[in-house]
Amino acid sequence: MNLPNTISAARIVASPVFAALAFVPSVGLRATAFVLYLVTAISDHYDGKIAREQGLITDLGKVLDPLADKLMLVACFVPMFLLQSAPDDALLALLPSFAEAAQYPFRTWMLPPVYFHWWILVPILGREAFMTWFRSFAQQRGVVIAAQRLGKFKAGFQFTWMGASFAWFMLQLIVEQHALSSHAPLMFLLHLIGGIGAVTMYVALALTLISLGDYLISYRAVFTTKRS
């Protein structure tokens, strides 16, 4: 078990923990969820980098790293959707209800509440599932699908959006529990985080669709290539 694989395994363990903590109406535990998210997101960059630079790529690592990526994505989107979706969201209606469901949409200056709708969630998760299949499909035909710049931009905005959400859950709870809605510096920070979250959410959605189209156009020949 080398260092990159240990980091990947730690990410797998941490992801469900910060997902669960985000649901607890405790400032301390939501702060812990936010910090765990940051550590997990930052370590996502380093496990692969260390493996490549130090020649530590293993078969186990090839399984653990993508598994950690997918688990982290689900661990983020489960609390985000349940806490930030619209009260009348069609998908939310199919899921178990709980006290704080749909109570934490992003709020910022001069905008109505910004919800995390099902039509944002489904394309993003669908794109990840499709690309997992597409890479495997291409590999069977001797084609390696390399990461593209648009995909990296998408990931950057997505990570920022997810981080803003976990920070939002913590800050909003501070305001609610301590009646600090008239505290100007805190409200400025809250609206700033809300604005960042709302903007990066929609940019991440746009880049998700654009980057998917870019991959399909760039590697369209894969569909006519015979299996090797």
Side-chain angles (χ1 to χ4, degrees), residues 15 17-23 30-38 72 75-80 83-84 106 160-172 193:
S15 292
V17 174
F18 68 68
L21 292 180
F23 289 108
R30 286 190 178 174
T32 301
F34 175 58
V35 172
L36 267 179
Y37 165 77
L38 290 180
M72 179 182 173
C76 287
F77 282 159
V78 167
M80 285 167 61
L83 292 170
Q84 295 187 293
F106 287 125
T160 304
W161 163 31
M162 294 187 295
S165 292
F166 279 84
W168 178 263
F169 301 151
M170 173 186 64
L171 293 172
Q172 184 66 43
I193 296 295

Side-chain angles (χ1 to χ4, degrees), residues 131-166:
M131 286 304 301
T132 298
W133 170 82
F134 190 43
R135 289 181 190 279
S136 175
F137 180 79
Q139 190 173 23
Q140 292 171 3
R141 285 151 180 78
V143 179
V144 176
I145 298 180
Q148 295 184 349
R149 182 171 295 181
L150 276 173
K152 293 179 179 179
F153 285 154
K154 183 270 300 179
F157 278 98
Q158 195 165 279
F159 278 127
T160 304
W161 163 31
M162 294 187 295
S165 292
F166 279 84

Side-chain angles (χ1 to χ4, degrees), residues 10-63:
R11 289 167 53 211
I12 291 172
V13 173
S15 292
V17 174
F18 68 68
L21 292 180
F23 289 108
V24 184
S26 161
V27 172
L29 292 181
R30 286 190 178 174
T32 301
F34 175 58
V35 172
L36 267 179
Y37 165 77
L38 290 180
V39 172
T40 306
I42 292 170
S43 65
D44 176 42
H45 170 71
Y46 285 103
D47 55 357
K49 183 178 181 181
I50 293 171
R52 289 189 297 271
E53 291 181 351
Q54 298 186 12
L56 298 175
I57 298 175
T58 64
D59 290 339
L60 178 61
K62 291 177 181 178
V63 174

